[in-house]
Amino acid sequence: MATLEKLLHDRLASAFDLVAGMPTSPGVRRSKHADFQADGALALARQLGRKPRDVAADVVRVAQLDDLCTSVEISGPGFINLTVATDALASLLAEMTRDERLGIPSVAAPDTVVVDYSAPNVAKEMHVGHLRSTVIGDAVVRLLDWLGHRVIKANHLGDWGTPFGMLIEHLLDIGESEAVAELSLGDLNSFYKAARVKFDADDSFKERARQRVVALQGGDELTRRLWRLLVAASEKYFMTVYDRFDVCLTEKDFLGESFYNDMLHPLVDELDRLGLLRESDGAKVVFPVGFVNREGEPLPLIVRKRDGGFGYAATDLAAIRYRTQELEATRLLYVVGSPQRQHFEMVYEIAREAGWLRPPARAHHVGFGSILGSDGKMFRTRGGDTIKLVDLIDEAVSRAAALVEEIDQLDDAGRAEVARMVGIGALKYADLSNDRNKDYVFDWARMLSFEGNTAPYLQYARVRILSIFRQGGVTPVRDLVTLTVSEPAERALAIELLAFEGVIAEVAESLEFHRLATYLYGLAATFTTFYEKCPVLRAEDGVRDDRLALCDLTARVLARGLGLLGIGAPDRM
RNA sequence: GCGCCCGUAGCUCAGCGGAUAGAGCAGGGGACUUCUAAUCCCAAGGCCGCAGGUUCGAAUCCUGCCGGGCGCACCA
């Protein structure tokens, strides 16, 4: 389906091309002076050496807009103001009601997308630091999947490295069953800390740990089994967190660092063959072009450490090669904090130089800022400790439970389910409604408020709509051929609804979910104006059905939009 | 030193070259015999960090400052 804005754009583009004699952007956008405006004449006038208003007049003369607009006027210095015909609105809306996908088709040429996100560490608690990656990455997965792309979730688990020496030795000390029980239940911090304490205090333990690392890397069978035990127990725990948080990661998506172990030696060999590998201070490194260190010298990416071990850079390179060559990925997304930006830029550059990343395949760092406390510093507990992710989730749900306590139309189980949707929704939405490039300030009261740009507000807006249907005992029809849109509030809502596709298209590329959030909030706000001004159930028969259709579409767009953000929408609250 | 990100109302945030810079919160004033008032409406609140430049037009693009955050060789 063609979206309204795109239709206007295309028609005007043809007209502009005629007037300019070359491809010219019409500059169509929403306007407060009309439904839409086109700014293209102002920019074009300069190139043609003519007056903007004259250019605009020529464009209007040749533009074929009769079926779309009732009014096309030139205003100010040369803006073209467009008022959309209600017939056009009506038929587009009717088409939208009939479409299961709300006018948004599956993509014609799907990408194979690898989304690298969440990435907790084995035997370590998930904390606030994992919140944004998990929430944003999950939204990326849901959106691209819904659009019909082939999405591969890659949970780049920290399941390898020197800490496993001490972790395995600690496991042996306390016994396998005890360790597994502790880890599966989520008592990860105390397990890790206990290991750490012994490691720091006890030299013989430290030596055992060191030996154990060697055994692990050497493939010693017992050690591997114990390691696997640690990983499995942690994965089991992480799954409980994901389930509780409504995150769509599954057991199958754990693709930890260790997965790439066997690829690391061949990787180094290939870099060597390609002539990219250098020796520096005893380490094997690659110097990607365009990167310098603080002395202005070429900045290396260390592929193999002086001691022969591999660092994360090697794993990241192996992963990128695996993803493009084995998984045949065309779009690689790394949902990782902004501080790691340079690292990934270096990895991408090397991958391009090595030929592992070439068009149409592209890699993109989906970076994000930090979560801050109300004091403007990194969000921590009052004691200065990092906050566990489960604690955050639990608090969100229990705070939401206090809010929904008064709902008398639901039983206890129903209220608990609503509390979950509201609490988790609030937490996720607070993250996704902010520009991910920026830091944001964490504030329980604000995110759980029913006023302002919050998940509860959007959820509530939809509940009010469903309440109309229940109250009237009606089911909105979805096979309309046309409908009437006459009141200003109806028009405003109609135009807002028709903008959904454009927003989705934009976010699918930029992965800036706050644009979707801003849109949904605008839609909900536009709806409440409509709700105040236009009675639905009390309207006359013809009008009533049309208003019901507007309500229904709004509810569906809200539910779909929230769903793409990983947020549920309760039917009552 | 080099690089990246950020600076918009008292607070939290939108605004990816267009008309008079927008929301929410807080503070002020209103609206519940009404489809859920957990809502809505009205008024008030701004040298868009500073200074130049490009442009018919700059919060938006460029340069330089100021202020804050983060990276920059064997941790991920």
Side-chain angles (χ1 to χ4, degrees):
Chain A
M1 156 181 163
T3 169
L4 177 57
E5 190 168 332
K6 190 169 184 309
L7 279 172
L8 293 170
H9 173 97
D10 291 350
R11 301 288 184 84
L12 279 164
S14 307
F16 268 98
D17 293 356
L18 273 174
V19 172
M22 58 184 172
T24 307
S25 169
V28 175
R29 70 195 72 228
R30 296 281 289 280
S31 170
K32 49 185 165 183
H33 301 280
D35 293 336
F36 291 88
Q37 67 181 43
D39 310 327
L42 288 96
L44 181 59
R46 170 108 183 133
Q47 294 177 46
L48 300 180
R50 303 178 52 195
K51 289 180 182 165
R53 286 188 70 103
D54 293 348
V55 174
D58 283 357
V59 170
V60 170
R61 199 169 304 123
V62 297
Q64 300 191 355
L65 292 165
D66 291 351
D67 56 331
L68 291 177
C69 300
T70 48
S71 157
V72 180
E73 289 177 339
I74 298 163
S75 158
F79 298 105
I80 301 172
N81 285 347
L82 307 165
T83 303
V84 180
T86 43
D87 287 355
L89 285 180
S91 64
L92 287 168
L93 273 177
E95 196 179 333
M96 195 170 170
T97 62
R98 295 194 301 268
D99 185 357
E100 198 63 43
R101 297 181 55 88
L102 296 162
I104 302 175
S106 294
V107 289
D111 269 312
T112 296
V113 191
V114 174
V115 186
D116 188 319
Y117 72 111
S118 195
N121 292 312
V122 164
K124 277 178 106 171
E125 191 67 53
M126 289 186 82
H127 52 84
V128 265
H130 298 101
L131 179 63
R132 301 208 73 182
S133 176
T134 304
V135 170
I136 295 167
D138 215 48
V140 171
V141 167
R142 287 170 195 267
L143 174 63
L144 297 183
D145 179 68
W146 187 64
L147 288 174
H149 295 289
R150 183 169 164 250
V151 179
I152 300 167
K153 290 166 281 181
N155 194 347
H156 201 74
L157 198 66
D159 64 355
W160 200 253
T162 47
F164 283 90
M166 75 177 191
L167 292 170
I168 292 171
E169 283 304 319
H170 178 59
L171 176 145
L172 284 169
D173 286 359
I174 65 174
E176 285 182 30
S177 56
E178 174 64 28
V180 167
E182 205 173 301
L183 290 169
S184 305
L185 288 174
D187 209 352
L188 274 58
N189 278 349
S190 58
F191 185 92
Y192 191 93
K193 276 179 188 161
R196 185 82 226 176
V197 164
K198 280 196 277 185
F199 185 85
D200 290 336
D202 183 346
D203 282 346
S204 70
F205 182 87
K206 190 179 282 187
E207 177 55 23
R208 275 159 58 199
R210 207 185 58 75
Q211 296 284 353
R212 190 58 71 179
V213 174
V214 175
L216 180 63
Q217 287 168 341
D220 173 66
E221 211 164 300
L222 170 71
T223 306
R224 294 289 284 215
R225 190 178 65 78
L226 297 172
W227 167 75
R228 188 59 223 162
L229 220 58
L230 282 175
V231 174
S234 295
E235 288 182 348
K236 190 175 162 197
Y237 168 68
F238 295 142
M239 280 314 304
T240 67
V241 179
Y242 294 141
D243 286 344
R244 234 195 303 186
F245 202 29
D246 255 337
V247 167
C248 56
L249 283 165
T250 69
E251 293 90 342
K252 293 195 291 277
D253 304 319
F254 287 114
L255 220 67
E257 296 168 333
S258 64
F259 178 79
Y260 305 96
N261 281 350
D262 294 341
M263 306 176 200
L264 299 180
H265 280 105
L267 179 101
V268 175
D269 292 345
E270 188 171 343
L271 285 170
D272 201 10
R273 266 203 311 283
L274 291 166
L276 294 171
L277 204 64
R278 301 280 180 274
E279 182 109 4
S280 177
D281 287 347
K284 307 271 193 197
V285 307
V286 179
F287 293 100
V289 302
F291 293 88
V292 293
N293 67 8
R294 62 188 89 197
E295 275 78 41
E297 299 155 351
L299 183 65
L301 196 71
I302 293 166
V303 179
R304 192 164 183 190
K305 298 185 285 185
R306 193 171 10 203
D307 66 7
F310 296 100
Y312 58 93
T315 309
D316 284 334
L317 283 170
I320 208 169
R321 192 178 66 155
Y322 174 78
R323 289 167 186 181
T324 54
Q325 296 188 348
E326 303 300 321
L327 300 177
E328 298 181 338
T330 50
R331 195 178 182 192
L332 306 180
L333 299 172
Y334 292 80
V335 189
V336 182
S338 294
Q340 291 188 52
R341 177 170 179 141
Q342 182 180 261
H343 166 72
F344 282 107
E345 292 303 330
M346 290 172 77
V347 168
Y348 303 157
E349 176 55 29
I350 292 170
R352 276 189 290 267
E353 290 174 29
W356 303 330
L357 180 63
R358 55 178 68 166
R362 55 196 168 129
H364 185 217
H365 175 223
V366 184
F368 51 83
S370 307
I371 304 177
L372 308 177
S374 52
D375 57 359
K377 294 178 183 160
M378 293 289 278
F379 188 42
R380 290 178 188 283
T381 64
R382 252 171 303 188
D385 296 325
T386 56
I387 298 167
K388 290 167 68 170
L389 185 55
V390 273
D391 289 347
L392 224 44
I393 297 166
D394 288 348
E395 183 162 358
V397 174
S398 67
R399 279 174 181 263
L403 290 177
V404 303
E405 203 173 7
E406 59 194 72
I407 305 177
D408 44 16
Q409 338 166 17
L410 290 170
D411 57 17
D412 287 349
R415 272 194 293 269
E417 188 48 32
V418 171
R420 236 178 68 80
M421 285 195 218
V422 171
I424 289 169
L427 190 54
K428 289 184 174 179
Y429 193 84
D431 200 303
L432 294 166
S433 59
N434 281 288
D435 182 345
R436 64 174 164 77
N437 294 303
K438 300 185 185 178
D439 298 345
Y440 76 91
V441 177
F442 193 94
D443 184 336
W444 285 119
R446 189 153 20 90
M447 73 175 74
L448 282 159
S449 169
F450 284 82
E451 291 170 359
N453 189 9
T454 68
Y457 176 85
L458 297 180
Q459 290 167 326
Y460 179 64
R462 178 172 169 279
V463 163
R464 291 171 95 187
I465 297 171
L466 299 194
S467 178
I468 293 173
F469 302 153
R470 269 196 301 271
Q471 194 71 218
V474 290
T475 315
V477 288
R478 291 181 180 172
D479 57 354
L480 294 171
V481 178
T482 187
L483 62 157
T484 310
V485 192
S486 45
E487 293 293 318
E490 292 175 319
R491 281 184 62 86
L493 182 56
I495 290 172
E496 196 69 24
L497 285 165
L498 291 172
F500 186 46
E501 183 182 1
V503 172
I504 290 295
E506 197 285 322
V507 175
E509 187 53 40
S510 71
L511 304 177
E512 291 174 343
F513 288 92
H514 74 286
R515 293 178 188 280
L516 176 54
T518 302
Y519 166 75
L520 293 175
Y521 179 57
L523 175 64
T526 306
F527 175 80
T528 51
T529 303
F530 162 84
Y531 182 91
E532 300 285 329
K533 297 227 168 99
C534 302
V536 178
L537 294 175
R538 283 181 277 112
E540 318 159 18
D541 283 352
V543 178
R544 188 173 120 134
D545 287 346
D546 295 341
R547 288 186 178 166
L548 280 169
L550 283 170
C551 289
D552 182 45
L553 268 182
T554 304
R556 289 167 68 193
V557 170
L558 286 174
R560 173 59 62 190
L562 287 170
L564 294 176
L565 298 176
I567 297 168
D571 291 347
R572 298 168 193 264
M573 58 192 284

